[in-house]
Amino acid sequence: MSFQVKAYMCVIKDEDLGVSILTARDYAELVYKATNNIFEAKKEDYPELNQFISLNSIDFILDLDDDDDCCRDNLNRLLCYLRSKGSTLTADLFELDQVINEERLLAISSDMV
């Protein structure tokens, strides 16, 4: 017997910081983790990032529908702001579909979200 599992992954790349890979069980949690990761990595270089904090509270994000583009809007605004200041940071979000049986992973596929 096999079953399908959905997971989410974010790949954050930056010339100065290298690569970070984050995973989560749902989209809202991943966006929250990605925004926090970026904020923690860049807050000393860009003190103005505080403007993105209130919109990244987990309560605010979890109140949004997982399929709602609003969930990603704050992350996009954060990335656009950093790019406008010369940062090379990028964040790519993926939805992973995995088919697993009792013994092993049978298949995996991904889509960018």
Side-chain angles (χ1 to χ4, degrees):
M1 176 177 200
S2 63
F3 55 96
Q4 186 171 356
V5 177
K6 190 174 294 266
Y8 296 87
M9 178 176 70
C10 180
V11 178
I12 300 172
K13 295 182 257 180
D14 185 63
E15 280 182 6
D16 300 328
L17 303 173
V19 176
S20 295
I21 298 175
L22 308 172
T23 59
R25 289 182 291 186
D26 63 57
Y27 186 71
E29 180 186 1
L30 181 66
V31 171
Y32 176 76
K33 284 181 172 183
T35 305
N36 276 346
N37 181 283
I38 293 167
F39 177 76
E40 289 299 319
K42 294 294 189 175
K43 69 182 178 184
E44 289 182 21
D45 297 331
Y46 303 95
E48 311 85 26
L49 292 182
N50 287 330
Q51 65 185 312
F52 298 98
I53 293 291
S54 63
L55 293 178
N56 190 45
S57 75
I58 192 67
D59 295 330
F60 172 79
I61 290 174
L62 290 178
D63 284 343
L64 299 172
D65 180 8
D66 285 352
D67 295 327
D68 194 341
D69 289 336
C70 293
C71 193
R72 170 115 188 209
D73 283 349
N74 191 48
L75 178 60
N76 285 340
R77 285 193 296 271
L78 174 61
L79 293 170
C80 287
Y81 173 80
L82 289 171
R83 296 293 281 177
S84 75
K85 298 295 183 181
S87 175
T88 61
L89 190 137
T90 61
D92 297 315
L93 301 173
F94 299 91
E95 180 179 87
L96 305 172
D97 289 312
Q98 306 164 66
V99 179
I100 301 171
N101 70 11
E102 292 86 14
E103 297 175 11
R104 62 188 169 103
L105 178 67
L106 298 175
I108 190 167
S109 62
S110 68
D111 290 317
M112 287 189 84
V113 289

